[in-house]
């Protein structure tokens, strides 16, 4: 599947979950019918909200508040990603 410079991603699934073991939030995007998995590192969320602590409720609240920026970062990561990759990690440098 060839990709143009513009992503075909959409984010209709509002589900997200916190992985405390790896300090990251998991969420999903879709390119047509293909599900793409994304992770946002807690350190990246802390860059967006420096006072964030690692409590699950707090991490998810920061994630929800920054959702538009997170989707933009996911879109960029997906466009520059490798063909056939279905999982992306968003780190500090992505924001």
């Amino acid at each position: 599947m060839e990709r143009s410079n513009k992503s075909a991603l959409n984010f209709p699934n509002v589900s997200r979950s916190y992985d405390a073991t790896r300090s990251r939030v998991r969420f999903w995007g879709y390119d047509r019918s293909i599900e793409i998995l994304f992770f946002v590192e807690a350190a990246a969320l802390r860059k967006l909200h420096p006072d964030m602590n690692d409590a699950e409720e707090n991490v998810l609240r920061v994630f929800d508040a920054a959702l538009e920026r997170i989707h933009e970062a996911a879109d960029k990561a997906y466009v520059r990603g490798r063909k056939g990759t279905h999982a992306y990690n968003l780190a500090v440098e992505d924001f």
Side-chain angles (χ1 to χ4, degrees):
M1 166 174 40
E2 291 296 316
R3 287 196 197 127
S4 68
N5 288 336
K6 180 158 175 33
S7 173
L9 282 182
N10 62 62
F11 300 93
N13 183 352
V14 295
S15 296
R16 79 284 191 267
S17 62
Y18 180 56
D19 177 352
T21 304
R22 296 192 175 162
S23 292
R24 62 188 188 176
V25 176
R26 176 185 308 116
F27 71 101
W28 297 264
Y30 295 85
D31 183 349
R32 291 173 242 157
S33 64
I34 300 169
E35 183 177 75
I36 311 297
L37 178 60
F38 291 93
F39 299 99
V40 181
E41 295 176 359
L45 293 173
R46 200 170 290 105
K47 179 179 180 180
L48 301 176
H49 196 283
D51 296 333
M52 182 189 86
N53 65 43
D54 288 335
E56 179 176 353
E57 181 179 305
N58 198 18
V59 173
L60 293 175
R61 186 178 1 211
V62 169
F63 177 90
D64 292 343
L67 197 56
E68 188 173 324
R69 287 188 68 189
I70 292 166
H71 285 171
E72 289 171 3
D75 228 18
K76 289 177 184 175
Y78 184 67
V79 167
R80 72 176 180 262
R82 293 184 309 264
K83 186 176 179 179
T85 299
H86 296 289
Y88 295 84
N89 189 61
L90 303 177
V92 171
E93 57 272 7
D94 294 307
F95 292 91

